C-alpha cells in the first residue's frame, strides 16, 4: 500500500448522529486517521423501519461515502449492521465493518458463565443479528435479547443521570437480570451514552460491551493487516455530513462525539431518495 491509500479517510455512516459515539472510539484509538461521517438525520430512526427500507437507505448512505473515496466503510448503525452488511459487501470491494461481528467477539471473550444479554432497537432485536452471530461461534451460549427503544430519545435528551431513565432501565432490564447474564452487549449507537445507568441497574458483576469500542479495534487490526493504517504523527481531519440540520442537533452531536464540531454540511439530497 502506498502513502496515498494510507491517508484516505475512513467512511462512517449511521441513521443519525448516534454513530458519533463510534467515531469517538475511532478517534481515541486511531487519532491519525481521517474520518468522513454521514448521519442520515432526515430519515432517522432506522430502528422502527422494515429491513427492506433499511437496506435501501444503507446502500444510499454507503454510496455517498464511497463517492468521497474512503478506504473502508464503517456501518456504525447497529440496525443497519443487523440487516444490510451482505448487500453492502456484495456491492463494494473496499472493506465493510459492521457492529455485530466485533461486538459479538468481544462478548464471547468476556463471558464466564455463557449467558449473554443483548439490547438494541426493535429492528436489531427482531433480526436476531447478535444471537445468530453469537451462536455461530459457540452453540452452547445462552442469549437473551431485549429491545429498549426508549433509550434512544433519552440519550438524545441528555437524560444520562435522570430518575426517569433509571426507572425505564429497571423495567427493560429486569428480565435480563433474572437470567443471571454476566455480559451485556450495548447493541445500539446511543446506549454507551447511558452506560452508567445501565451498569447501575445491572450491577457491577455484569460486563457491558460497547460494540463501537470493539469495532474500533477491528478497524485497527484490518488497517494493519492491509498495510493502510495512517502512520502520520498529526491528528487526522474529520468531515461531518448529514441529511438534515435541526435546531438542537449540534449540541447533541457534540455530546455524542465528546468534542466540538466546527461544521456540519448538508449532503446532496438527490442521492437520498425516499421510498414511494
Ligand atoms: N443508530 C441506530 C442503531 O444503532 C439507533 C437509532 C435508530 O433507530 O435509527 O441501531
Amino acid at each position: 500500500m502506498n502513502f496515498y491509500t494510507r491517508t484516505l479517510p475512513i467512511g462512517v455512516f449511521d441513521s443519525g448522529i448516534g454513530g458519533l459515539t463510534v467515531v469517538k472510539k475511532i478517534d481515541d484509538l486511531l487519532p491519525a486517521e481521517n474520518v468522513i461521517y454521514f448521519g442520515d438525520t432526515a430519515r432517522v430512526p432506522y430502528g422502527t423501519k422494515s429491513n427492506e427500507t433499511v437496506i435501501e437507505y444503507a446502500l444510499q448512505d454507503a454510496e455517498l461515502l464511497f463517492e468521497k473515496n474512503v478506504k473502508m466503510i464503517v456501518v456504525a448503525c447497529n440496525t443497519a449492521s443487523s440487516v444490510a452488511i451482505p448487500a453492502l459487501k456484495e456491492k463494494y470491494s473496499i472493506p465493510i465493518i459492521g457492529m455485530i461481528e466485533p461486538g459479538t467477539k468481544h462478548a464471547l471473550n468476556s463471558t464466564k458463565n455463557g449467558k449473554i444479554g443483548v439490547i438494541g432497537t426493535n429492528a436489531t432485536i427482531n433480526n436476531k443479528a447478535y444471537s445468530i452471530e453469537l451462536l455461530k461461534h459457540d452453540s452452547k451460549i445462552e442469549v437473551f435479547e431485549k429491545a429498549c427503544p426508549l433509550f434512544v430519545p433519552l440519550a438524545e435528551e441528555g437524560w444520562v443521570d435522570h430518575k426517569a431513565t433509571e426507572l425505564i432501565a429497571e423495567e427493560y432490564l429486569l428480565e435480563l437480570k433474572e437470567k443471571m447474564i454476566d455480559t451485556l452487549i450495548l447493541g445500539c449507537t446511543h446506549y454507551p451514552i447511558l452506560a452508567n445507568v445501565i451498569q447501575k441497574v445491572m450491577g457491577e458483576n455484569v460486563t457491558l460491551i460497547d460494540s463501537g469500542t470493539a469495532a474500533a479495534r477491528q478497524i485497527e487490526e484490518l488497517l494493519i493487516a492491509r498495510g493502510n493504517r495512517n502512520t502520520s504523527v498529526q491528528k487526522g481531519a474529520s468531515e461531518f455530513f448529514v441529511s438534515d440540520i435541526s435546531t438542537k442537533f449540534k449540541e447533541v452531536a457534540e455530546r455524542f462525539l465528546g468534542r466540538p464540531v466546527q461544521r456540519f454540511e448538508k449532503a446532496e439530497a438527490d442521492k437520498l431518495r425516499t421510498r414511494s
Side-chain angles (χ1 to χ4, degrees):
M1 283 286 164
N2 58 26
F3 176 74
Y4 174 68
T5 49
R6 284 205 309 258
T7 55
L8 288 179
I10 296 175
V12 182
F13 80 82
D14 177 46
S15 55
I17 48 175
L20 293 172
T21 59
V22 178
V23 175
K24 183 174 189 300
K25 300 292 156 37
I26 299 173
D27 271 0
D28 291 347
L29 190 67
L30 302 160
E33 295 295 338
N34 300 309
V35 174
I36 297 190
Y37 181 83
F38 173 65
D40 194 5
T41 46
R43 304 188 296 193
V44 69
Y46 285 9
T48 51
K49 297 196 167 67
S50 69
N51 287 352
E52 195 192 8
T53 298
V54 174
I55 293 170
E56 182 182 332
Y57 289 178
L59 286 166
Q60 293 171 5
D61 301 343
E63 186 61 22
L64 240 137
L65 294 171
F66 187 72
E67 284 177 2
K68 296 190 186 299
N69 203 16
V70 294
K71 63 183 170 186
M72 67 164 65
I73 294 176
V74 178
V75 186
C77 178
N78 283 257
T79 303
S81 296
S82 76
V83 71
I85 298 294
L88 291 166
K89 284 194 170 166
E90 198 182 302
K91 182 165 176 199
Y92 299 104
S93 56
I94 55 170
I96 306 288
I97 307 250
M99 295 296 115
I100 314 292
E101 198 195 308
T104 299
K105 281 196 186 141
H106 196 174
L108 287 169
N109 284 336
S110 143
T111 186
K112 304 263 183 308
N113 71 2
K115 293 175 193 248
I116 298 178
V118 182
I119 53 177
T121 62
N122 283 316
T124 301
I125 298 306
N126 288 341
N127 285 328
K128 298 194 172 304
Y130 276 103
S131 55
I132 291 169
E133 188 70 19
L134 284 163
L135 293 167
K136 201 167 90 188
H137 290 282
D138 184 345
S139 58
K140 292 194 200 70
I141 289 287
E142 286 182 81
V143 190
F144 305 97
E145 297 186 280
K146 176 80 186 169
C148 303
L150 290 174
F151 281 174
V152 168
L154 288 168
E156 295 204 355
E157 201 53 37
W159 284 18
V160 291
D161 198 16
H162 196 287
K163 198 82 205 118
T165 309
E166 200 173 322
L167 279 173
I168 290 167
E170 274 166 7
E171 179 82 25
Y172 277 149
L173 302 174
L174 179 66
E175 61 187 76
L176 297 181
K177 273 181 88 169
E178 286 175 350
K179 301 290 183 197
M180 308 295 283
I181 59 164
D182 71 351
T183 301
L184 177 61
I185 300 177
L186 306 180
C188 173
T189 46
H190 289 59
Y191 298 179
I193 300 288
L194 304 179
N196 285 346
V197 72
I198 295 171
Q199 187 78 71
K200 185 172 169 196
V201 170
M202 291 308 295
E204 287 305 317
N205 294 334
V206 173
T207 305
L208 302 187
I209 304 294
D210 177 346
S211 292
T213 306
R217 285 193 206 132
Q218 183 164 325
I219 293 164
E220 182 181 37
E221 280 166 21
L222 195 75
L223 290 175
I224 292 170
R226 293 173 66 91
N228 63 357
R229 185 185 163 147
N230 194 333
T231 48
S232 165
V233 288
Q234 286 182 359
K235 170 100 188 73
S238 330
E239 281 182 273
F240 300 96
F241 293 89
V242 286
S243 45
D244 186 41
I245 302 185
S246 63
T247 39
K248 210 183 158 213
F249 137 96
K250 193 164 184 281
E251 174 203 324
V252 184
E254 290 181 344
R255 188 171 346 112
F256 282 21
L257 186 62
R259 65 177 163 91
V261 175
Q262 260 182 349
R263 198 158 76 107
F264 282 97
E265 279 178 63
K266 202 154 170 221
E268 307 117 86
D270 61 312
K271 302 265 168 19
L272 305 164
R273 298 170 302 272
T274 351
R275 289 181 72 75
S276 49

